[in-house]
Amino acid sequence: ASSLVYVEHNNDKIASGTLNTVTAATKVGGSVTALVVGSKASGIAEQAAKIAGVEKVIAVEDAAFEGFLPEAVAPAIKAAQDAGSYSHIFLPASATGKNIAPRLGVEFDSQPISDIIGIKGEKEYVRTIYAGNAIQTVSSADSLQIVTVRSTAFDAAPAEGGSGTVEKMDVAVSNDSSEFVGQELSKSDRPDLGTAKIVVSGGRGLKSGDNFKLLYDLSDKIGAAVGASRAAVDAGFCPNDMQIGQTGKIVAPELYIAVGISGAIQHLAGMKDSKTIVAINKDAEAPIFQVADYGLVDDLFKAVPELTEKL
Amino acid sequence: MSLRVMVTVKRVIDYAVKIRVKPDKLGVVTEGVKHSMNPFDEIAVEEAVRMKEKKQVQEIVAVTCGPAKNEETLRTALAMGADRGVHVVVDGEDYDGLQPLGVAKILSEVAKKQDVNIVFLGKQAIDDDMNQTGQMVSALLNWPQATFASKIDVDGDKLAVTREIDGGLENIKVKMPAVVTADLRLNEPRYATLPNIMKAKKKKVEKIKPADLGVDITPRLKVISVEDPPVREAGIKVETVDELVDKLKNEAKVL
């Protein structure tokens, strides 16, 4: 086997999911080549060369990659694949990876495997279906394997310690069908939901967006990221990028504190792989208590400030 | 500008049904289980209908791929406001083995025949959770893609689309013809009213087969097993915040 790993980045630094994707690639065996595509690729390529397990880095730089539009990026990956004839292409199962992988499937007439949580063989993978309510093992008949990787299911490869070689590649890109206008990223000093060791998450029980302050106070004290249930997002308490669950983000931190969340199947799908789960809810019958290691049946408006004070 | 839109609808197990794995461990129980339109596809239909109500869209063609029962799903789209339907009939083993690449090949051929300016899809189906079909249709047609859309505006011959990405939102413009996939916050789909359900029964539905489109839908992936997820054991109830803090520090050692 030989793998090509798509390095997700923002021209400044590598997105953490890339490190987990490298680990997945090393599990099929053989060499791992990292591919950096971007309007500023050289600095990222230097960083990628240091990732443990990466033997070689290919850097493709062009202004056309601004905004990582899939119509521009997918052809660059195709060019790298054509040049290297890898057996596998791995991408993080992030918004970017999901945007690009299916296009590669069309380019190579190969059926990609999305969001894997395990690898059983060179062409055999484990993934979840029905929002984590069933676990499927599939084998692929395609000669080129295209796979996106759920970052929480694989350890991160060490970001330092590797000594890969860096090679530049030129790809002629033309894309006049789509145009990147800009991004509105949520600014926060708190850790990123996907990588935080601790996540504090709020549901409809918070009653209003303003009351999320209780969770921000707690999370600031313990260095946590803040998430929300779909019910809280639908009620307008917080933006969608905070949503944890089937239709939002999948997280698996060391500690997950669910506050005022009943624990719909939808939500559990996004957090039940957390190592330790705490639930605070005044309804003793709430399904969240069935997955919680520690449950506290109490009024959150009293319990959360007390917890913040005592930690 | 008067656009022609195709919107795709998948019939899936209703989102509220508890999933049960089949005894043969090769799939989940679908017999006698409530099915509905994939929720993300409902959002896509709703958006197309709203664009028609704003006079931006002239005609909406709803398309589904699947067995006879899929016609119900198609009728739901027609009751929501789509003008006519195309039912690509795929059943038996062919349907069991139908995968995103096969579906995308079917849909892209239908889109060419229907001569549309926009193909709307849900961002993913809540059964296989693959999140691939829209992107594949885009690549097959060589039309740009605007995935995970939470806002769509027509801007001349382009669509200005706000996308849900990790960490926030992104704004892009795509030149039509284009492929758009709907995310959760794009809109709240309407319920079909009884008069509209009655009207939908009279709307035209054309039935075709993948072979009519010259499309190969041979499955590429083989399901080896389907299993229940590991059960997480319920833990203990603590009585006070002090006890919780003690457990987190001294037992779980996570703080």
Side-chain angles (χ1 to χ4, degrees), chain A residues 70-71 94-95 98-99 103 109 111-112 114 127 130-133 135-139 141-142 177-179 181-184 186 230 240 272 274-275 291-295 310-311, chain B residues 19 101 105 127-130 132 135-136 138 144-145 147 158 163-164 166-167 169-173 175 184-185 220-222 224-227 229 232 235-238 242 251 255:
Chain A
E71 293 82 5
S94 58
K98 288 171 181 171
N99 219 16
R103 301 186 70 90
D109 197 36
Q111 170 60 62
S114 294
R127 57 186 303 273
Y130 294 96
N133 288 300
I135 297 187
Q136 184 189 55
T137 300
V138 290
S139 69
D142 288 316
S177 65
S178 62
E179 173 190 339
V181 180
Q183 288 182 341
E184 305 155 32
S186 312
R230 176 166 169 189
N240 193 45
K272 65 185 165 54
S274 305
K275 197 157 162 254
V291 300
D293 299 285
Y294 304 112
K310 288 180 173 163
L311 282 174
Chain B
I19 295 302
L101 189 57
K105 286 178 181 177
D127 49 6
D128 66 6
D129 287 336
M130 286 284 244
Q132 296 183 359
Q135 296 87 313
M136 285 180 164
S138 158
Q145 71 184 42
T147 53
K158 292 176 181 170
R163 306 179 55 233
E164 304 264 359
D166 302 329
L169 298 172
E170 177 175 288
N171 298 310
I172 61 167
K173 281 188 182 175
K175 210 183 261 180
L184 203 61
R185 290 198 301 172
R220 310 300 186 80
L221 303 179
K222 184 172 166 232
I224 307 291
S225 69
V226 175
E227 286 168 62
R232 196 177 174 110
I236 56 159
K237 290 261 169 70
V238 293
D242 286 320
E251 192 175 89
L255 281 176

Coordinates of all heavy atoms in Angstrom, one line a residue, chain A residues 70-71 94-95 98-99 103 109 111-112 114 127 130-133 135-139 141-142 177-179 181-184 186 230 240 272 274-275 291-295 310-311, chain B residues 19 101 105 127-130 132 135-136 138 144-145 147 158 163-164 166-167 169-173 175 184-185 220-222 224-227 229 232 235-238 242 251 255:
Chain A
P70 N -13.4 23.5 -4.1 CA -13.2 22.1 -4.6 C -13.0 22.0 -6.1 O -12.3 21.1 -6.5 CB -14.5 21.4 -4.2 CG -15.5 22.5 -4.0 CD -14.7 23.7 -3.5
E71 N -13.6 22.9 -6.9 CA -13.4 22.9 -8.3 C -11.9 23.1 -8.7 O -11.5 22.7 -9.8 CB -14.2 23.9 -9.0 CG -15.7 23.7 -8.9 CD -16.3 24.2 -7.6 OE1 -15.6 24.8 -6.8 OE2 -17.5 24.0 -7.3
S94 N -13.7 16.4 7.4 CA -14.1 17.8 7.8 C -15.0 18.4 6.7 O -15.2 17.7 5.6 CB -12.8 18.6 7.9 OG -12.2 18.6 6.7
A95 N -15.4 19.6 6.9 CA -16.2 20.3 5.8 C -15.4 20.3 4.5 O -16.0 20.1 3.5 CB -16.6 21.7 6.3
K98 N -15.0 16.5 3.1 CA -16.3 16.1 2.6 C -16.6 16.7 1.3 O -17.3 16.2 0.4 CB -17.4 16.3 3.6 CG -17.4 15.5 4.8 CD -18.4 16.0 5.8 CE -18.4 15.2 7.1 NZ -19.2 15.8 8.1
N99 N -16.2 17.9 1.1 CA -16.4 18.7 -0.1 C -15.7 18.2 -1.3 O -16.1 18.3 -2.4 CB -16.0 20.2 0.2 CG -17.0 21.2 -0.4 OD1 -18.1 20.9 -0.8 ND2 -16.5 22.4 -0.5
R103 N -15.7 14.3 -5.3 CA -15.2 14.7 -6.6 C -14.1 13.8 -7.1 O -14.0 13.5 -8.3 CB -14.8 16.1 -6.6 CG -15.9 17.1 -6.2 CD -15.4 18.6 -6.3 NE -15.3 18.9 -7.7 CZ -16.3 19.5 -8.4 NH1 -17.5 19.7 -7.8 NH2 -16.1 19.8 -9.7
D109 N -13.5 7.2 -10.9 CA -14.6 6.2 -10.9 C -14.4 5.2 -9.7 O -14.4 4.0 -9.9 CB -14.7 5.5 -12.2 CG -16.0 4.8 -12.4 OD1 -17.0 5.3 -12.0 OD2 -16.1 3.6 -12.9
Q111 N -15.8 4.5 -5.6 CA -16.8 4.9 -4.6 C -16.1 5.2 -3.3 O -15.6 4.3 -2.6 CB -17.8 3.8 -4.4 CG -18.7 3.9 -3.3 CD -19.6 5.2 -3.4 OE1 -20.4 5.3 -4.3 NE2 -19.5 6.1 -2.4
P112 N -16.0 6.5 -2.9 CA -15.3 6.8 -1.6 C -16.0 6.2 -0.4 O -17.2 5.9 -0.4 CB -15.4 8.3 -1.5 CG -15.7 8.8 -2.9 CD -16.5 7.7 -3.5
S114 N -16.9 7.2 3.4 CA -16.9 8.4 4.2 C -16.8 8.1 5.7 O -17.3 7.2 6.3 CB -18.3 9.1 4.1 OG -18.5 9.6 2.8
R127 N -17.4 2.1 9.7 CA -18.0 3.4 9.8 C -19.3 3.3 10.4 O -19.9 2.2 10.6 CB -18.0 4.0 8.4 CG -18.9 3.2 7.4 CD -18.8 3.8 6.0 NE -19.2 5.2 6.0 CZ -20.5 5.6 5.9 NH1 -21.5 4.7 5.6 NH2 -20.9 6.8 5.9
Y130 N -26.8 5.6 10.2 CA -27.9 6.0 11.1 C -27.4 6.8 12.3 O -27.7 6.4 13.4 CB -28.7 4.8 11.5 CG -29.5 4.2 10.3 CD1 -28.9 3.1 9.6 CD2 -30.7 4.7 9.8 CE1 -29.5 2.5 8.5 CE2 -31.3 4.1 8.7 CZ -30.7 3.1 8.1 OH -31.4 2.5 7.0
A131 N -26.5 7.8 12.1 CA -26.1 8.6 13.1 C -25.5 7.9 14.3 O -25.6 8.3 15.4 CB -27.2 9.5 13.6
G132 N -24.7 6.9 14.0 CA -24.0 6.2 15.1 C -24.9 5.1 15.7 O -24.4 4.4 16.7
N133 N -26.1 4.9 15.2 CA -27.0 3.9 15.8 C -26.7 2.5 15.3 O -27.3 1.5 15.7 CB -28.4 4.3 15.7 CG -28.8 5.4 16.6 OD1 -28.7 5.3 17.8 ND2 -29.1 6.6 16.0
I135 N -23.2 0.2 13.4 CA -21.8 0.2 12.9 C -21.6 -0.8 11.8 O -22.0 -1.9 11.9 CB -20.9 -0.1 14.1 CG1 -21.1 1.0 15.1 CG2 -19.4 -0.1 13.6 CD1 -20.2 1.0 16.3
Q136 N -21.1 -0.2 10.7 CA -21.0 -1.0 9.5 C -19.6 -1.3 9.1 O -18.7 -0.4 9.2 CB -21.7 -0.2 8.4 CG -21.8 -0.7 7.0 CD -22.3 0.3 6.0 OE1 -21.7 1.3 5.8 NE2 -23.4 0.0 5.3
T137 N -19.3 -2.5 8.7 CA -18.0 -2.8 8.1 C -18.2 -3.1 6.6 O -19.0 -3.8 6.2 CB -17.4 -4.1 8.8 OG1 -17.3 -3.8 10.2 CG2 -16.0 -4.4 8.2
V138 N -17.4 -2.3 5.8 CA -17.6 -2.5 4.3 C -16.2 -2.8 3.7 O -15.2 -2.4 4.2 CB -18.1 -1.2 3.7 CG1 -19.6 -1.0 4.0 CG2 -17.3 0.0 4.0
S139 N -16.3 -3.5 2.6 CA -15.1 -3.7 1.8 C -15.3 -3.1 0.5 O -16.4 -3.0 0.0 CB -14.7 -5.2 1.7 OG -15.6 -5.8 0.9
A141 N -14.3 -2.7 -3.7 CA -13.8 -3.4 -4.8 C -13.0 -2.5 -5.8 O -12.5 -3.0 -6.7 CB -15.0 -4.0 -5.6
D142 N -12.9 -1.2 -5.4 CA -12.2 -0.3 -6.3 C -10.7 -0.4 -6.2 O -10.2 -0.7 -5.1 CB -12.7 1.1 -6.0 CG -14.1 1.4 -6.4 OD1 -14.5 1.0 -7.6 OD2 -14.9 2.0 -5.7
S177 N -15.7 28.9 -12.5 CA -17.1 28.6 -12.2 C -17.5 28.9 -10.8 O -18.7 29.1 -10.5 CB -17.4 27.1 -12.5 OG -16.7 26.3 -11.6
S178 N -16.5 29.0 -9.9 CA -16.9 29.3 -8.5 C -15.9 30.3 -8.0 O -14.8 30.5 -8.5 CB -16.9 28.1 -7.6 OG -15.6 27.5 -7.6
E179 N -16.3 31.1 -7.0 CA -15.5 32.2 -6.5 C -15.6 32.3 -5.0 O -16.7 32.2 -4.4 CB -16.1 33.4 -7.2 CG -15.7 34.8 -6.8 CD -16.6 35.8 -7.5 OE1 -17.3 35.5 -8.5 OE2 -16.6 36.9 -6.9
V181 N -15.7 34.3 -1.6 CA -16.0 35.6 -1.3 C -15.4 35.9 0.1 O -14.7 37.0 0.3 CB -17.5 35.9 -1.3 CG1 -17.8 37.4 -0.9 CG2 -18.1 35.6 -2.7
G182 N -15.6 35.1 1.1 CA -15.0 35.3 2.4 C -15.6 34.4 3.4 O -16.4 33.5 3.1
Q183 N -15.0 34.5 4.6 CA -15.5 33.6 5.7 C -15.8 34.5 6.9 O -15.3 35.5 7.1 CB -14.4 32.6 6.1 CG -14.1 31.5 5.1 CD -13.1 30.5 5.6 OE1 -12.2 30.8 6.5 NE2 -13.1 29.4 5.0
E184 N -16.8 34.0 7.7 CA -17.1 34.6 9.0 C -16.9 33.5 10.0 O -17.8 32.7 10.2 CB -18.6 35.0 9.0 CG -19.0 36.0 7.8 CD -20.5 35.9 7.5 OE1 -21.3 35.7 8.5 OE2 -20.9 36.1 6.4
S186 N -16.3 32.0 13.8 CA -16.6 32.4 15.1 C -15.3 32.7 15.8 O -14.4 31.8 15.9 CB -17.4 31.3 15.8 OG -18.4 30.9 15.0
R230 N -28.9 20.3 19.4 CA -29.6 20.9 18.3 C -30.8 21.7 18.8 O -31.2 22.7 18.2 CB -30.1 19.7 17.4 CG -30.9 20.3 16.3 CD -31.1 19.3 15.1 NE -32.2 19.8 14.3 CZ -32.7 19.1 13.3 NH1 -32.3 17.9 13.0 NH2 -33.6 19.7 12.5
N240 N -25.0 27.6 14.8 CA -25.0 26.2 14.4 C -23.6 25.6 14.5 O -23.6 24.3 14.7 CB -25.5 26.1 13.0 CG -25.8 24.7 12.6 OD1 -26.5 24.0 13.4 ND2 -25.4 24.3 11.4
K272 N -21.3 10.4 22.5 CA -21.3 9.2 23.4 C -19.9 8.5 23.5 O -19.7 7.6 24.3 CB -22.4 8.2 23.1 CG -22.3 7.6 21.8 CD -23.6 6.7 21.6 CE -23.8 6.3 20.1 NZ -22.7 5.6 19.5
S274 N -17.3 10.1 24.3 CA -16.5 10.9 25.3 C -16.0 9.9 26.4 O -16.7 9.0 26.7 CB -17.3 12.0 25.8 OG -17.8 12.8 24.8
K275 N -14.9 10.2 27.0 CA -14.3 9.3 28.0 C -15.2 9.4 29.3 O -15.7 8.3 29.7 CB -12.9 9.6 28.3 CG -12.2 8.5 29.0 CD -10.6 8.6 28.7 CE -9.9 7.8 29.8 NZ -9.3 8.6 30.8
V291 N -26.4 7.5 29.7 CA -25.0 7.4 29.2 C -24.0 8.1 30.1 O -22.8 8.1 29.8 CB -24.9 7.9 27.7 CG1 -25.8 7.2 26.8 CG2 -25.2 9.4 27.7
A292 N -24.5 8.8 31.1 CA -23.6 9.6 31.9 C -22.9 8.7 33.0 O -23.5 7.9 33.6 CB -24.4 10.7 32.6
D293 N -21.6 9.0 33.2 CA -20.9 8.3 34.3 C -21.3 8.9 35.6 O -21.4 8.3 36.6 CB -19.3 8.5 34.0 CG -18.9 7.9 32.7 OD1 -18.8 6.7 32.7 OD2 -18.7 8.7 31.8
Y294 N -21.5 10.3 35.6 CA -21.9 11.0 36.8 C -23.1 11.8 36.5 O -23.0 12.7 35.6 CB -20.8 11.8 37.3 CG -19.5 11.0 37.6 CD1 -18.3 11.3 36.8 CD2 -19.4 10.1 38.6 CE1 -17.2 10.5 37.1 CE2 -18.3 9.3 38.9 CZ -17.2 9.6 38.1 OH -16.0 8.8 38.3
G295 N -24.2 11.5 37.1 CA -25.4 12.3 36.9 C -25.7 13.1 38.1 O -25.7 12.6 39.3
K310 N -16.5 25.9 42.7 CA -15.7 24.9 43.4 C -14.6 24.2 42.6 O -13.9 23.4 43.2 CB -16.7 23.9 44.0 CG -17.5 24.5 45.1 CD -18.5 23.5 45.7 CE -19.1 24.2 47.0 NZ -20.4 23.5 47.4
L311 N -14.5 24.5 41.4 CA -13.5 23.8 40.6 C -12.2 24.7 40.6 O -12.3 25.9 40.6 CB -14.0 23.6 39.1 CG -14.9 22.4 39.0 CD1 -15.4 22.3 37.6 CD2 -14.2 21.1 39.3
Chain B
I19 N -33.5 2.6 15.5 CA -32.9 1.7 14.5 C -32.6 0.3 15.2 O -32.1 0.3 16.3 CB -31.5 2.3 14.0 CG1 -31.8 3.6 13.2 CG2 -30.8 1.3 13.1 CD1 -32.7 3.5 12.0
L101 N -22.2 6.8 -5.8 CA -21.6 7.0 -7.2 C -22.7 6.6 -8.2 O -22.9 7.3 -9.2 CB -20.3 6.2 -7.4 CG -19.5 6.4 -8.6 CD1 -19.2 7.9 -8.8 CD2 -18.3 5.6 -8.7
K105 N -24.6 9.2 -10.8 CA -24.6 9.0 -12.3 C -26.0 9.1 -12.8 O -26.3 9.7 -13.9 CB -24.0 7.6 -12.6 CG -22.5 7.7 -12.4 CD -21.9 6.3 -12.7 CE -20.3 6.3 -12.5 NZ -19.7 5.0 -12.7
D127 N -29.6 7.9 6.5 CA -29.4 6.5 6.6 C -27.9 6.1 6.5 O -27.3 5.6 7.4 CB -30.3 5.7 5.7 CG -30.3 6.1 4.3 OD1 -29.5 7.0 3.9 OD2 -31.1 5.6 3.5
D128 N -27.4 6.3 5.3 CA -26.0 5.9 5.2 C -25.0 6.9 5.6 O -23.8 6.7 5.7 CB -25.7 5.4 3.7 CG -25.8 6.5 2.7 OD1 -26.0 7.7 3.1 OD2 -25.7 6.2 1.5
D129 N -25.4 8.2 5.8 CA -24.6 9.3 6.3 C -23.3 9.4 5.4 O -22.2 9.8 6.0 CB -24.1 9.0 7.7 CG -25.3 9.3 8.7 OD1 -26.2 10.0 8.4 OD2 -25.2 8.7 9.8
M130 N -23.4 9.3 4.1 CA -22.2 9.4 3.3 C -21.8 10.8 2.9 O -20.7 11.1 2.8 CB -22.4 8.5 2.0 CG -22.3 7.0 2.2 SD -20.6 6.5 2.5 CE -20.4 5.4 1.1
Q132 N -22.1 12.5 0.0 CA -21.3 12.5 -1.3 C -22.1 12.9 -2.5 O -21.5 13.4 -3.5 CB -20.8 11.0 -1.5 CG -19.8 10.6 -0.4 CD -19.3 9.2 -0.7 OE1 -19.6 8.6 -1.7 NE2 -18.4 8.7 0.2
Q135 N -21.9 16.4 -4.3 CA -20.5 16.7 -4.8 C -20.2 15.9 -6.1 O -19.6 16.4 -7.0 CB -19.5 16.4 -3.8 CG -19.6 17.3 -2.5 CD -20.5 16.7 -1.4 OE1 -21.6 16.3 -1.7 NE2 -20.1 16.6 -0.2
M136 N -20.7 14.7 -6.1 CA -20.5 13.8 -7.3 C -21.3 14.3 -8.5 O -20.8 14.3 -9.6 CB -20.9 12.4 -6.9 CG -19.9 11.7 -6.0 SD -20.5 10.0 -5.7 CE -19.0 9.3 -5.1
S138 N -22.1 17.3 -9.1 CA -21.4 18.5 -9.5 C -20.2 18.1 -10.4 O -20.0 18.6 -11.5 CB -20.9 19.3 -8.3 OG -19.8 20.1 -8.6
P144 N -20.3 23.9 -11.0 CA -19.8 24.2 -9.6 C -20.7 23.7 -8.5 O -21.9 23.5 -8.8 CB -19.6 25.7 -9.6 CG -20.6 26.2 -10.6 CD -20.7 25.1 -11.7
Q145 N -20.1 23.5 -7.3 CA -20.9 23.0 -6.2 C -20.9 24.0 -5.1 O -20.0 24.7 -4.8 CB -20.4 21.7 -5.7 CG -19.1 21.8 -5.0 CD -18.5 20.4 -4.5 OE1 -18.5 19.5 -5.3 NE2 -18.0 20.4 -3.3
T147 N -22.0 23.4 -1.4 CA -22.5 22.4 -0.5 C -22.8 23.1 0.9 O -22.3 24.1 1.2 CB -21.5 21.3 -0.2 OG1 -20.3 21.9 0.1 CG2 -21.3 20.5 -1.5
K158 N -25.4 34.0 -11.3 CA -24.7 33.3 -10.3 C -25.6 33.1 -9.1 O -26.7 33.8 -8.9 CB -23.5 34.1 -9.8 CG -22.4 34.2 -10.9 CD -21.3 35.1 -10.4 CE -20.2 35.2 -11.5 NZ -19.2 36.2 -11.2
R163 N -22.3 29.1 3.3 CA -22.1 27.7 3.6 C -21.7 27.5 5.1 O -21.0 28.3 5.6 CB -21.0 27.1 2.7 CG -21.1 27.3 1.3 CD -19.9 26.7 0.5 NE -19.7 25.3 0.9 CZ -18.6 24.7 1.4 NH1 -17.5 25.5 1.5 NH2 -18.5 23.5 1.7
E164 N -22.2 26.4 5.6 CA -21.8 26.0 7.0 C -20.5 25.3 6.9 O -20.4 24.2 6.3 CB -22.9 25.1 7.6 CG -24.3 25.7 7.6 CD -24.7 26.3 8.9 OE1 -23.9 26.3 9.8 OE2 -25.8 26.8 9.0
D166 N -16.6 24.2 9.2 CA -16.1 24.0 10.5 C -15.7 25.4 11.1 O -14.9 26.1 10.5 CB -14.9 23.1 10.5 CG -15.2 21.7 9.9 OD1 -16.4 21.3 10.1 OD2 -14.3 21.1 9.3
G167 N -16.3 25.8 12.2 CA -15.9 27.0 12.8 C -16.6 28.3 12.4 O -16.3 29.4 12.8
L169 N -19.0 30.3 9.0 CA -19.7 30.4 7.8 C -18.7 30.8 6.7 O -17.7 31.5 6.9 CB -20.8 31.4 7.8 CG -21.9 31.1 8.8 CD1 -22.9 32.3 9.0 CD2 -22.7 29.8 8.5
E170 N -19.1 30.4 5.4 CA -18.3 30.8 4.3 C -19.2 31.3 3.2 O -20.3 30.8 3.0 CB -17.5 29.6 3.8 CG -16.7 29.9 2.5 CD -15.8 28.7 2.2 OE1 -14.8 28.4 2.9 OE2 -16.2 28.0 1.2
N171 N -18.8 32.4 2.5 CA -19.6 32.9 1.4 C -18.8 32.6 0.1 O -17.7 32.9 -0.1 CB -19.8 34.4 1.6 CG -20.5 34.7 2.8 OD1 -21.6 34.1 3.1 ND2 -20.0 35.6 3.6
I172 N -19.6 32.0 -0.8 CA -19.1 31.8 -2.2 C -20.1 32.2 -3.2 O -21.2 32.4 -2.9 CB -18.7 30.3 -2.4 CG1 -19.9 29.4 -2.3 CG2 -17.6 29.9 -1.4 CD1 -19.6 28.0 -2.8
K173 N -19.6 32.3 -4.5 CA -20.5 32.5 -5.6 C -20.2 31.4 -6.6 O -19.1 31.1 -6.9 CB -20.3 33.9 -6.2 CG -20.9 35.0 -5.4 CD -20.8 36.3 -6.2 CE -21.4 37.4 -5.4 NZ -21.3 38.7 -6.0
K175 N -21.4 30.0 -10.5 CA -22.0 30.3 -11.8 C -23.0 29.2 -12.1 O -22.7 28.0 -12.0 CB -20.9 30.4 -12.9 CG -21.3 31.4 -14.0 CD -20.2 31.3 -15.1 CE -19.2 32.4 -14.9 NZ -18.1 32.4 -15.9
L184 N -29.0 22.3 7.5 CA -30.1 22.4 8.4 C -30.7 23.7 8.5 O -31.9 23.9 8.6 CB -29.6 21.9 9.8 CG -30.5 21.4 10.8 CD1 -31.2 20.2 10.2 CD2 -29.8 21.1 12.1
R185 N -29.9 24.8 8.5 CA -30.5 26.1 8.8 C -31.0 26.9 7.6 O -31.3 28.1 7.7 CB -29.4 26.9 9.6 CG -29.2 26.4 11.0 CD -28.5 27.4 11.9 NE -27.2 27.8 11.3 CZ -26.5 28.8 11.8 NH1 -26.9 29.5 12.8 NH2 -25.4 29.0 11.3
R220 N -19.9 -0.9 -5.6 CA -18.5 -1.0 -5.4 C -18.1 -1.4 -4.0 O -17.0 -1.9 -3.7 CB -17.8 0.4 -5.6 CG -18.3 1.0 -6.9 CD -17.9 0.2 -8.1 NE -18.2 0.9 -9.4 CZ -17.4 1.9 -9.9 NH1 -16.3 2.2 -9.3 NH2 -17.7 2.5 -11.0
L221 N -19.1 -1.1 -3.1 CA -18.8 -1.5 -1.7 C -19.7 -2.7 -1.3 O -20.8 -2.8 -1.7 CB -19.1 -0.3 -0.7 CG -18.5 1.0 -1.0 CD1 -18.9 2.1 0.0 CD2 -16.9 0.9 -0.9
K222 N -19.1 -3.6 -0.5 CA -19.8 -4.7 0.0 C -19.9 -4.6 1.5 O -18.9 -4.4 2.2 CB -19.1 -6.0 -0.4 CG -19.8 -7.2 -0.1 CD -19.1 -8.5 -0.7 CE -19.7 -9.7 0.0 NZ -18.7 -10.6 0.5
I224 N -19.9 -6.0 4.9 CA -19.5 -7.3 5.6 C -20.3 -7.5 6.8 O -20.7 -8.7 7.1 CB -18.0 -7.1 6.0 CG1 -17.1 -6.7 4.8 CG2 -17.5 -8.4 6.7 CD1 -16.9 -7.7 3.8
S225 N -20.6 -6.5 7.6 CA -21.4 -6.7 8.8 C -22.0 -5.4 9.2 O -21.5 -4.3 8.9 CB -20.6 -7.3 9.9 OG -19.7 -6.3 10.4
V226 N -23.2 -5.5 9.9 CA -23.8 -4.3 10.5 C -24.1 -4.7 12.0 O -24.7 -5.8 12.2 CB -25.1 -3.9 9.8 CG1 -25.8 -2.7 10.6 CG2 -24.8 -3.4 8.4
E227 N -23.6 -3.9 12.9 CA -23.7 -4.3 14.3 C -24.3 -3.1 15.1 O -24.2 -2.0 14.7 CB -22.4 -4.8 14.9 CG -22.0 -6.1 14.4 CD -20.6 -6.5 14.7 OE1 -20.2 -6.5 15.9 OE2 -19.8 -6.7 13.7
P229 N -24.0 -0.5 18.1 CA -22.9 0.2 18.7 C -22.7 -0.3 20.1 O -23.6 -0.8 20.7 CB -23.3 1.7 18.7 CG -24.8 1.7 18.6 CD -25.2 0.4 17.9
R232 N -23.1 1.9 26.2 CA -22.4 2.6 27.3 C -23.2 2.4 28.6 O -24.4 2.6 28.7 CB -22.4 4.1 26.9 CG -21.4 4.8 27.8 CD -21.3 6.3 27.4 NE -20.4 6.9 28.4 CZ -19.2 7.3 28.1 NH1 -18.7 7.2 26.9 NH2 -18.4 7.8 29.1
G235 N -23.7 5.3 34.6 CA -22.9 5.4 35.8 C -23.7 5.6 37.0 O -24.7 4.9 37.2
I236 N -23.3 6.5 37.8 CA -23.9 6.7 39.1 C -24.5 8.1 39.2 O -24.2 9.0 38.4 CB -22.9 6.5 40.3 CG1 -21.7 7.5 40.1 CG2 -22.4 5.1 40.4 CD1 -21.0 7.8 41.4
K237 N -25.5 8.2 40.1 CA -26.0 9.5 40.4 C -25.2 10.1 41.6 O -25.0 9.4 42.6 CB -27.5 9.5 40.7 CG -28.4 9.1 39.5 CD -29.0 10.3 38.9 CE -29.7 10.0 37.6 NZ -30.9 9.2 37.7
V238 N -24.9 11.4 41.5 CA -24.3 12.0 42.6 C -25.3 13.0 43.3 O -26.2 13.4 42.6 CB -23.0 12.8 42.3 CG1 -21.9 11.9 41.8 CG2 -23.3 13.9 41.2
D242 N -20.5 19.0 45.4 CA -19.3 18.7 46.1 C -18.9 17.2 45.7 O -17.7 16.9 45.5 CB -19.4 18.8 47.6 CG -19.4 20.2 48.0 OD1 -18.6 21.0 47.5 OD2 -20.2 20.6 48.9
E251 N -11.8 10.2 41.2 CA -12.1 8.9 40.7 C -11.8 8.9 39.2 O -11.0 8.1 38.7 CB -13.6 8.6 40.9 CG -14.0 7.2 40.6 CD -15.5 6.9 41.0 OE1 -16.3 7.1 40.1 OE2 -15.7 6.5 42.1
L255 N -9.9 16.2 36.1 CA -9.7 17.6 36.4 C -8.6 17.8 37.3 O -8.3 16.9 38.1 CB -11.0 18.2 37.0 CG -12.2 18.5 36.1 CD1 -13.4 19.0 36.9 CD2 -11.8 19.6 35.1

